Amino acid sequence: MQTFIQLTVSGLANGAILALAAVGFAIIFKATGVINFAQGAFMAVGAYMVYTAIADFGWAWPLAIAFAALIAILLGMGTERFILRPMVGESAISVIMVTIGLAFFLEASLQFQFGTRPLRMAPFIPEGTVLILDVPLPLNRLIAIGLAALVLGAVGAFFRYSRNGIAMRAVADDQQAALTMGISVRRIFAMAWGIAAVTAMLAGVLVANIQGVSGNVALFGLLVFPVVILGGLDSIGGTIVGGLIVGLLIQYTAGYLGGGLQQVVPYILLVFILMVRPYGLFGEVRIERV
Amino acid sequence: MTTTGVYHTSYRSELRLRHTRAEQVRLWAAVILILLLPFILSPFWLSVANRIGIAVIGAIGLNILTGFTGQISLGQGGFLAVGAYPSGLLVVRLGLPTLVAMFLAVAFTALVGALIGLPALRLKGLYLAIATLASQFIIIYLVRNWEFITQGRDSISVPRPELFGFVLIGDFRWYWPIMGSAALATIVGRNLFRSGIGRALMAVRDQDIAASALGVNLTKYKVLSFAISSGFVGLAGALTGHYRIITWERFELDVSIEYLAMIIVGGLGSILGAILGAIFIVLLPSGLEQLAISVRGIFPQVTAQLPALQLATFGLVIILFLIFEPRGLARMWQRTKDYFRLWPFRY
């Protein structure tokens, strides 16, 4: 029972972080129709920026996060303006490959600057364990869950209540109609990339806080694919459910079955979902069939 | 040939393999160059040439699927493994002759490719890309962890094969079978797209609904495309395995992306493009390595940063090609030819 609770908490923590990484992915896809393979690289950039700000500049962590968010926004919007905009109208394979190229470039730049050795981030989330129902649970994971929930809530509120959020939903729904209503699609695209980069940065920081700052943060980003397919590629709420399910699934598999099976289980789930319900749990049923 | 382009006045002339005299001359020049290369190149560049030869086969295979049929595959590395492992295991465990093992491995990869292609019947574009990404991870997991394959080891070393009485050891001896296979792959690939099958595949890429209205059986041709492409990839994988040691590290996601980069840089939907792209992408890291060695005196830190530099250049090359020349090296070659043919006029 104790193991079960610990696995559940770890799973929920990983799942919450995954959801955070995936929500940006879903926002980009929903608004602009681009599959962003550089989401993992964005996470890594965020983690390294916070690390630099704390370790090299000696800043306090709220300032460090703000600095990283600024960099993330510039990165996201710059990507949209200079890399994705020339690709409008190109085939799916080209769009996918350009984001893959970007991912390689970003990861290599980080490697260039910081080397391949994993760096340890000064923990800005308190460590230690708390006893809940007599089960020792790692505090930093509980806080990670809370932080992720907070950010996801904010993203949700943004889409529901703010003017820009509603405009973004309009663009996702029908670009032409949105244009005729006077919404600047370019601005919405830039905003989608900016928000996605910031959420990815936060996810990267949370991952780095648990497992250290290294290129592996970007590997964590590959898991967004099972998450978004499970939740539905264009569903914000779906990514949260998908993230939690995938996070739990990984932890339970690691804890009860082991043998490295946890590395592949999300992808088996992915294939299964694609076979039976390609639009995911909450996605819009609009998949093209041939 | 006229000065404004190549015109066909009959189906016979359009179906010809080589349209102009210049093409014939260039082909013979290329053949002579390939025959001479192993006698000129240093051992380092000879091994690069061998890797290019293998990459050409794989890139043609991927281009058949992705460039000509429009089915995105991020699972190339996995397919290479599906070619390499059975071929190696048949030789090591059952003692089959290498040629027979490789032939069986190619057939097996084609079969597996067709099976993995089945989801392609229902999935398009992005969804198919993600499905093949998953197959990549699943295949690598299997060859890493399945006891039956690994027997607890991380790699399989295959005994040096014998071909026509020659033991294939060293880059010089390997050069001939590899280049022979690459030439075979090129000829088959080039001819495939002069046939009905090839044209059906291109129709599926351009407009699948229109193709099916014209009587192209989508199910059949999509599965067929996966099978043919995987056959090529299986051959490349089997060669990789026998040429060096078989280890899962050689078939990871990075390899899938490298092959995609080859056909993007070379030119989607072009056999020449696959060849040029394979040459370019394999030469890139080696070229940078040589460059780093030659400027070591001026910038001593460059050797330590070489891996990062290679990776960054790779990423940048993909981005720049997609933005500035989405049709790749094949198109640049075409433009260069046009420039000289029309000189001194611009058009």
Side-chain angles (χ1 to χ4, degrees):
Chain A
M1 191 60 198
Q2 186 169 347
T3 334
F4 177 75
I5 293 178
Q6 279 174 339
L7 288 176
T8 307
V9 169
S10 291
L12 288 177
N14 284 356
I17 298 172
L18 272 177
L20 202 50
V23 83
F25 186 91
I27 289 173
I28 291 178
F29 181 74
K30 200 172 160 70
T32 72
V34 170
I35 290 266
N36 180 22
F37 270 81
Q39 196 74 1
F42 283 1
M43 289 169 69
V45 170
Y48 273 105
M49 285 307 122
V50 173
Y51 169 84
T52 317
I54 293 179
D56 296 348
F57 304 163
W59 292 354
W61 67 266
L63 200 58
I65 298 265
F67 166 72
L70 188 69
I71 300 273
I73 289 173
L74 288 179
L75 180 66
M77 289 188 171
T79 303
E80 193 276 328
R81 176 64 189 86
F82 295 108
I83 298 181
L84 267 306
R85 200 174 293 172
M87 299 301 295
V88 168
E90 294 283 341
S91 63
I93 172 76
S94 306
V95 177
I96 288 179
M97 275 310 279
V98 87
T99 62
I100 291 179
L102 176 68
F104 269 81
F105 183 71
L106 288 177
E107 283 164 36
S109 308
L110 291 175
Q111 199 180 323
F112 205 77
Q113 186 64 35
F114 299 97
T116 47
R117 208 160 32 85
L119 304 166
R120 191 167 152 59
M121 173 127 56
F124 64 89
I125 295 178
E127 291 194 333
T129 51
V130 282
L131 282 180
I132 295 175
L133 299 170
D134 291 334
V135 184
L137 294 172
L139 188 61
N140 59 357
R141 285 183 192 258
L142 289 174
I143 293 180
I145 298 177
L147 284 178
L150 205 66
V151 177
L152 289 170
V155 171
F158 169 77
F159 277 106
R160 193 161 169 73
Y161 300 113
S162 92
R163 204 179 163 79
N164 282 324
I166 294 168
M168 202 177 277
R169 273 164 50 206
V171 170
D173 194 46
D174 189 332
Q175 239 177 67
Q176 300 266 322
L179 273 169
T180 55
M181 300 309 288
I183 296 170
S184 162
V185 171
R186 285 186 175 183
R187 224 185 78 219
I188 295 298
F189 276 23
M191 205 184 298
W193 276 89
I195 294 173
V198 171
T199 52
M201 178 275 290
L202 291 170
V205 174
L206 291 178
V207 175
N209 194 61
I210 292 173
Q211 63 172 34
V213 188
S214 73
N216 286 339
V217 174
L219 284 183
F220 199 85
L222 276 178
L223 284 171
V224 304
F225 292 105
V227 172
V228 291
I229 290 291
L230 178 60
L233 257 180
D234 51 6
S235 161
I236 310 288
T239 58
I240 298 172
V241 179
L244 295 180
I245 292 178
V246 170
L248 286 173
L249 188 69
I250 293 174
Q251 285 300 319
Y252 290 149
T253 318
Y256 294 119
L257 298 171
L261 201 61
Q262 70 270 18
Q263 294 158 7
V264 77
V265 137
Y267 298 102
I268 296 173
L269 177 73
L270 194 169
V271 172
F272 178 72
I273 293 286
L274 279 178
M275 296 314 289
V276 297
R277 204 181 156 88
Y279 38 89
L281 295 176
F282 303 101
E284 198 176 333
V285 187
R286 198 166 52 178
I287 185 161
E288 279 181 274
R289 276 171 200 270
V290 206
Chain B
M1 193 185 83
T2 64
T3 42
T4 49
V6 182
Y7 291 111
H8 301 292
T9 47
S10 68
Y11 284 115
R12 243 180 90 85
S13 97
E14 196 194 352
L15 278 175
R16 256 198 320 234
L17 205 46
R18 288 172 295 281
H19 297 302
T20 61
R21 190 165 202 82
E23 259 177 66
Q24 211 146 4
V25 172
R26 282 196 296 269
L27 183 70
W28 281 112
V31 168
I32 291 169
L33 182 70
I34 289 171
L35 290 178
L36 286 180
L37 270 183
F39 301 100
I40 319 167
L41 292 179
S42 69
F44 172 80
W45 290 110
L46 196 57
S47 80
V48 173
N50 280 345
R51 277 189 287 133
I52 289 177
I54 294 174
V56 163
I57 303 169
I60 291 177
L62 184 63
N63 218 350
I64 291 174
L65 183 63
T66 301
F68 284 104
T69 321
Q71 312 293 306
I72 306 170
S73 168
L74 284 164
Q76 176 89 355
F79 285 128
L80 285 168
V82 175
Y85 275 85
S87 181
L89 289 177
L90 283 172
V91 172
V92 174
R93 304 258 173 90
L94 298 182
L96 287 183
T98 307
L99 268 181
V100 178
M102 279 176 60
F103 184 77
L104 290 175
V106 168
F108 179 71
T109 319
L111 188 72
V112 172
L115 281 179
I116 292 183
L118 285 179
L121 302 176
R122 299 187 56 199
L123 303 171
K124 269 180 88 171
L126 307 170
Y127 287 88
L128 180 62
I130 296 175
T132 51
L133 179 74
S135 79
Q136 161 82 33
F137 284 111
I138 293 169
I139 289 173
I140 293 300
Y141 176 78
L142 283 180
V143 298
R144 275 184 81 174
N145 295 290
W146 193 7
E147 273 293 302
F148 171 74
I149 292 177
T150 61
Q151 294 192 330
R153 281 190 298 267
D154 233 13
S155 63
I156 301 169
S157 57
V158 190
R160 299 289 93 199
E162 215 184 287
L163 201 68
F164 308 123
F166 286 103
V167 179
L168 288 179
I169 189 162
D171 284 321
F172 183 79
R173 285 192 175 173
W174 265 107
Y175 183 85
W176 307 104
I178 287 177
M179 285 304 156
S181 311
L184 187 71
T186 310
I187 294 168
V188 173
R190 190 92 163 85
N191 276 297
L192 179 67
F193 292 96
R194 295 164 67 217
S195 71
I197 298 175
R199 298 195 172 209
L201 297 183
M202 288 190 273
V204 171
R205 170 193 65 189
D206 293 337
Q207 221 346 308
D208 46 7
I209 295 167
S212 100
L214 288 170
V216 173
N217 183 342
L218 289 186
T219 312
K220 180 181 152 195
Y221 283 105
K222 279 191 181 174
V223 172
L224 196 62
S225 173
F226 264 93
I228 296 172
S229 154
S230 308
F232 279 76
V233 180
L235 177 61
L239 280 172
T240 320
H242 288 284
Y243 173 48
R244 299 271 167 82
I245 202 166
I246 302 177
T247 153
W248 57 270
E249 287 166 355
R250 214 160 269 160
F251 307 114
E252 280 194 290
L253 182 61
D254 296 10
V255 179
S256 303
I257 290 168
E258 228 166 72
Y259 273 93
L260 275 174
M262 285 175 201
I263 61 169
I264 295 255
V265 166
L268 288 170
S270 152
I271 298 290
L272 175 69
I275 298 171
L276 294 178
I279 296 174
F280 187 90
I281 294 292
V282 177
L283 275 184
L284 188 66
S286 314
L288 282 175
E289 195 183 329
Q290 294 302 310
L291 195 70
I293 290 173
S294 62
V295 299
R296 201 166 33 186
I298 316 163
F299 306 104
Q301 69 277 30
V302 81
T303 27
Q305 293 283 20
L306 187 62
L309 204 64
Q310 286 168 331
L311 219 56
T313 319
F314 176 69
L316 209 57
V317 160
I318 297 176
I319 297 175
L320 293 179
F321 260 96
L322 280 170
I323 292 179
F324 295 110
E325 188 51 280
R327 289 166 71 191
L329 289 168
R331 175 89 186 118
M332 284 163 96
W333 168 237
Q334 185 67 41
R335 276 216 302 261
T336 319
K337 276 194 310 190
D338 286 348
Y339 178 82
F340 283 107
R341 199 184 59 216
L342 300 173
W343 194 86
F345 303 109
R346 298 224 2 240
Y347 55 88

